[in-house]
Amino acid sequence: MTENTANGANTASTASTPFVPAPASPYQGDIARYWDEEARPVNLRLGDVDGLYHHHYGVGDIDHSALGKPGAGDYERKLIAELHRLESAQTDVLLDHLGPRRVEDLLADAGCGRGGSMVMAHQRFRCRVEGVTLSAKQADFANRRARELGIQERVQARVCNMLDMPFETGQVSASWNNESSMYVDLHDLFAEHSRILAPGGRYVTITGCWNPRYGQPSKWVSQINAHFECNIHSRREYLRAMADNRLVPQTIIDLTGATLPYWELRATSSLVTGIEDAFINSYKDGSFQYLLIAADRV
């Protein structure tokens, strides 16, 4: 059953994004407040590198030649730039799996944060991209960046519930969750993606999930849940909920090894938040996985 909330309709050209006064549940109200109040340097300083503000992690090998020598006067600046390169590389991996897109397509970013992935999607495909978030602060930020880039007619964020997105049935050509699916029930989430996607449409998620082969969520996964006030799902839950909602996986990629260098580098930076060891240890002991799943709506 899909939960409902006021959509707070807006356009990207408005000066301010409306606040949703009553999210669908008390928990979602907590999440809206959490992200409205969030201002971690690890999210903002990385985005300041080139104006793409993400809320996810990175993949790929470290370019040590770009870092220079530890202790040099510009080493920290170069380290931050390298972390940002890796998180933008993660978005590129997600966009690669959306497949070819047409200019007339509508794409949907469920849990869009400050809009970095939306901007990159528009820059690649030139099509219209709309994102949803419970956080009015994030949506305001994303819409302001779209105006600054002159793409406000093609890229916009709305304040609403990803379980009740403001799209007509079958209106969307491709949609995604980039590290945002751990805040909702997966069956409700995938039912909504299945509703908004046209038949043959593509859905992609990149997410952290606990490994069923480990037996139960590990202490590291529990620490991550507590830190971000989320509820990490298992790999099995993703596949089961997709199957129940007409989303047929075409590609599953284990990105755990590809994301570990990002975390090990971040743990040496001035931007540590205290959660780095939980990610590193859980990836290494196999209790936590970083997955990409691309599925088609049938």
Side-chain angles (χ1 to χ4, degrees), residues 273-294:
T273 63
I275 200 60
E276 288 77 14
D277 283 347
F279 278 90
I280 292 169
N281 290 329
S282 60
Y283 285 146
K284 287 184 173 180
D285 71 14
S287 63
F288 196 42
Q289 295 177 305
Y290 196 54
L291 291 186
L292 179 147
I293 306 173

Side-chain angles (χ1 to χ4, degrees), residues 6-289:
N7 283 337
N10 69 290
T11 64
S13 59
T14 57
S16 176
T17 308
F19 173 66
V20 176
S25 68
Y27 170 72
Q28 287 184 308
D30 289 341
I31 296 306
R33 284 187 290 273
Y34 176 93
W35 288 110
D36 277 341
E37 296 170 2
E38 182 273 334
R40 291 193 182 95
V42 72
N43 291 321
L44 295 172
R45 286 183 62 191
L46 269 62
D48 287 343
V49 171
D50 62 5
L52 290 170
Y53 291 86
H54 298 301
H55 282 276
H56 57 257
Y57 310 125
V59 296
D61 295 329
I62 305 299
D63 182 358
H64 291 282
S65 66
L67 293 176
K69 294 183 179 180
D74 60 351
Y75 179 77
E76 185 68 13
R77 177 185 61 80
K78 291 180 177 180
L79 187 152
I80 289 170
E82 181 65 3
L83 289 174
H84 181 62
R85 184 186 69 81
L86 295 175
E87 63 177 2
S88 288
Q90 189 261 28
T91 298
D92 277 328
V93 170
L94 187 152
L95 297 179
D96 288 344
H97 287 85
L98 290 181
R101 295 291 126 206
R102 302 169 300 172
V103 173
E104 60 267 30
D105 284 348
L106 171 63
L107 309 185
D109 183 349
C112 64
R114 289 184 171 95
S117 295
M118 291 196 297
V119 172
M120 290 182 65
H122 172 71
Q123 290 173 338
R124 179 184 292 208
F125 302 118
R126 315 312 299 177
C127 56
R128 188 156 58 98
V129 188
E130 295 195 18
V132 302
T133 173
L134 286 174
S135 168
K137 183 177 178 181
Q138 287 185 341
D140 279 338
F141 192 105
N143 287 335
R144 183 172 65 252
R145 284 296 298 137
R147 291 192 297 273
E148 291 168 353
L149 293 168
I151 57 175
Q152 67 271 21
E153 299 302 322
R154 304 291 284 170
V155 175
Q156 66 172 306
R158 301 189 189 204
V159 182
C160 65
N161 186 349
M162 71 172 73
L163 303 182
D164 184 25
M165 289 185 273
F167 308 114
E168 297 176 7
T169 298
Q171 182 184 6
V172 173
S173 298
S175 61
W176 67 85
N177 286 93
N178 197 353
E179 295 185 20
S180 56
S181 56
M182 61 286 298
Y183 288 101
V184 292
D185 177 88
L186 290 181
H187 278 83
D188 291 346
L189 176 67
F190 293 150
E192 182 64 352
H193 279 286
S194 183
R195 181 190 71 80
I196 68 172
L197 282 168
R202 171 59 58 93
Y203 170 76
V204 178
T205 185
I206 295 182
T207 186
C209 57
W210 65 269
N211 187 353
R213 291 185 178 181
Y214 192 82
Q216 289 292 331
S218 68
K219 64 179 181 180
W220 306 118
V221 172
S222 297
Q223 286 182 20
I224 296 168
N225 276 334
H227 184 85
F228 293 105
E229 299 184 20
C230 63
N231 180 34
I232 293 167
H233 307 289
S234 72
R235 175 175 177 154
R236 183 180 296 133
E237 289 175 280
Y238 278 93
L239 299 178
R240 183 183 299 125
M242 285 184 178
D244 289 345
N245 289 286
R246 304 180 65 87
L247 294 172
V248 178
Q250 304 297 311
T251 304
I252 301 174
I253 301 175
D254 188 339
L255 296 171
T256 305
T259 195
L260 192 54
Y262 164 90
W263 284 102
E264 291 176 332
L265 182 63
R266 176 169 148 173
T268 69
S269 76
S270 63
L271 302 177
V272 293
T273 63
I275 200 60
E276 288 77 14
D277 283 347
F279 278 90
I280 292 169
N281 290 329
S282 60
Y283 285 146
K284 287 184 173 180
D285 71 14
S287 63
F288 196 42
Q289 295 177 305

